[in-house]
Amino acid sequence: MNSLTTAPGAPPATTADPYRPEFHFTAERNWLNDPNGLVYLNGTYHLFYQHNPFGADWGNMSWGHASSPDLLHWDEQPVAIPCDEREAIFSGSAVFDEHNTSGLGTAGNPPLVAIYTSAYSAASPLAGRQAQSLAYSLDEGATWTKYSGNPVLDRASADFRDPKVFWYDGGAASYWVMVAVEALQRQVVLYKSADLKNWEYLSTFGPANATGGVWECPDLFELPVDGNPGETRWVLIVNINPGGIAGGSAGQYFLGAFDGVEFRSGSTVTEGLQQDGSRMREYGWLDWGRDYYAAVSFSGVADGRRIMIGWMNNWDYAGSTPTGGWRSAMTLPREVSLARLDGRLVLRQTAIDPFAGQEPPSFSLGPQALASGVQELPVAAAVGRLEVVFEPGAASRVGLMVRAGGAERTVISYDVADGVLRLDRRESGQADFHAAFPSVEAVAVPLRDGRLRLSVHLDRCSVEVFAQDGLATMTDLVFPAEASTALAVFAEGGGAHLVALNVVGR
């Protein structure tokens, strides 16, 4: 395809850190990975995360902390739960213990409780083990105290980690449920507790579906089907590394039922450890890109909304990304729901939009024929949202180019013959820092009434694509030159129509 110029109105190359996102959380400095302890309390969203306070590489795992009133503008807080000479603080969750079931607070000041994995070092009597521990806060997450009775759940395992805890209201009884993993066994293990301190085994799920890597960072929650509270399914999230659909890290999901004891999947395709990947595309994937991992949901969000955040990176190359004294970002938060698609249930994901309410758009195109070739748009965007609807018609291929300039471009294309949407970052900018980075992601996306609807969120080092109103998503990091901000639409072959295009951004 032809080279693209930087579009008129492109911002000058003055940003001190050209890859630091505007609307995706990053730590001011040093390493960041899995989101932890996502909780909403008294008007504030709390994002805890795996963090190295001492360097831009993985190590010294502690819980970093950020807070936000709206999921888009984040204030970094002091390190919440630091590692020490005996333990690293691995992934987990946080709950507001409203009724002080743990006794770690008072009736008048109930605690915020973090449930995390203690990864014990050589200085500990439990060296080599991973077990579950508690810390609590009586000032809404500002300061934390480790529980003196840690660990609260120890299976004498080296790979038992990532507890997600929630309150289960059952017909016969109500209690806390912990969903964790035996990572190497590709198993999700469930426990219950009345007080967060004493845990009783419930059941085990797995191995099933994708098993090409360790299982990590599980989640379990209930959602209505098509918004109908009278019909629900339980969603079990299981992140996997490696063995993801696009290579390396990824997240998969199962749909089924949970009775307070056992999760029973209704969407399992293959059971047991899989020796080949021939059915990978039949599994339920949270995202079909390379950079959506360790995704978990917030607890305590009002009105039953389920909002998830993932780590926007991939363990294949996470330690090599070309950023400065910081490394890695979170994805945009996504509200998830369940929808029927051609007789089956799938997760629908909608980004929390940084540009909501900023209409009218900075650029729009109405219905028109698309001639074969590339049509550069008279608008630039390094950060923004594109909404576009195509009718491919008789064309063989239609799509978008984003973050383009000179020989750089990231290409989002739809091939009509195979009904596949692709995200191509091979010429996206800096891509040679790791052999696994140049890639083309793909997901089958059926046209709806002959149309393809895309919502594309751009930030300074990322492209997040939501197809057909969020029924399929792809997330990829990109590292283009700061001046590569041109946008274009294209078609191959005649007969395509552009129904609508709106750009909001800068």
Side-chain angles (χ1 to χ4, degrees), residues 400-489:
L400 295 165
M401 294 182 194
V402 300
R403 294 308 309 266
E408 293 184 356
R409 81 276 327 277
T410 297
V411 182
I412 304 162
S413 64
Y414 185 77
D415 288 275
V416 177
D418 57 10
V420 170
L421 182 69
R422 291 181 170 86
L423 177 56
D424 184 346
R425 66 176 180 187
R426 290 174 297 178
E427 298 176 342
S428 58
Q430 286 198 60
D432 59 357
F433 56 87
H434 193 283
F437 189 81
S439 62
V440 182
E441 280 57 81
V443 57
V445 176
L447 297 177
R448 314 297 290 178
D449 299 322
R451 293 182 173 183
L452 173 69
R453 183 182 300 272
L454 300 176
S455 179
V456 181
H457 290 265
L458 305 177
D459 211 333
R460 298 197 179 275
C461 67
S462 62
V463 178
E464 291 171 275
V465 181
F466 297 77
Q468 304 299 48
D469 300 311
L471 293 177
T473 67
M474 289 190 289
T475 300
D476 269 7
L477 292 173
V478 294
F479 297 99
E482 191 171 4
S484 293
T485 58
L487 305 173
V489 294

Side-chain angles (χ1 to χ4, degrees), residues 287-321:
D287 192 282
W288 295 76
R290 292 275 281 159
D291 297 304
Y292 190 76
Y293 188 61
V296 290
S297 66
F298 279 88
S299 66
V301 179
D303 302 323
R305 297 173 67 203
R306 185 61 54 172
I307 298 172
M308 301 186 72
I309 291 180
W311 177 45
M312 196 161 60
N313 215 324
N314 190 305
W315 281 115
D316 277 357
Y317 45 73
S320 303
T321 51

Side-chain angles (χ1 to χ4, degrees), residues 194-264:
D195 60 5
L196 295 171
K197 300 174 181 175
N198 300 284
W199 293 91
E200 176 186 341
Y201 171 77
L202 291 173
S203 61
T204 296
F205 173 81
N209 286 6
T211 59
V214 297
W215 280 15
E216 294 186 314
C217 303
D219 201 350
L220 181 63
F221 50 85
E222 189 177 18
L223 287 178
V225 176
D226 289 327
N228 177 12
E231 183 183 3
T232 65
R233 296 290 189 279
W234 284 80
V235 183
L236 175 64
I237 304 295
V238 182
N239 290 273
I240 181 173
N241 176 64
I245 186 60
S249 313
Q252 61 180 323
Y253 68 90
F254 300 85
L255 302 179
F258 177 62
D259 60 5
V261 175
E262 181 181 8
F263 173 77
R264 295 181 302 279

Side-chain angles (χ1 to χ4, degrees), residues 35-41 46-48 63 65 81 91-97 111-116 133-137 141 144 163-167 176 196 296-300:
N36 300 151
L38 306 184
V39 63
Y40 178 75
L41 181 62
H46 294 273
L47 164 66
F48 300 90
W63 273 28
H65 181 200
I81 312 176
S91 295
S93 54
V95 295
F96 177 52
D97 185 13
L112 191 62
V113 180
I115 308 94
Y116 66 89
S133 295
L134 305 180
Y136 61 96
S137 173
W144 291 84
K164 179 62 186 289
V165 171
F166 65 93
W167 183 257
W176 298 104
L196 295 171
V296 290
S297 66
F298 279 88
S299 66

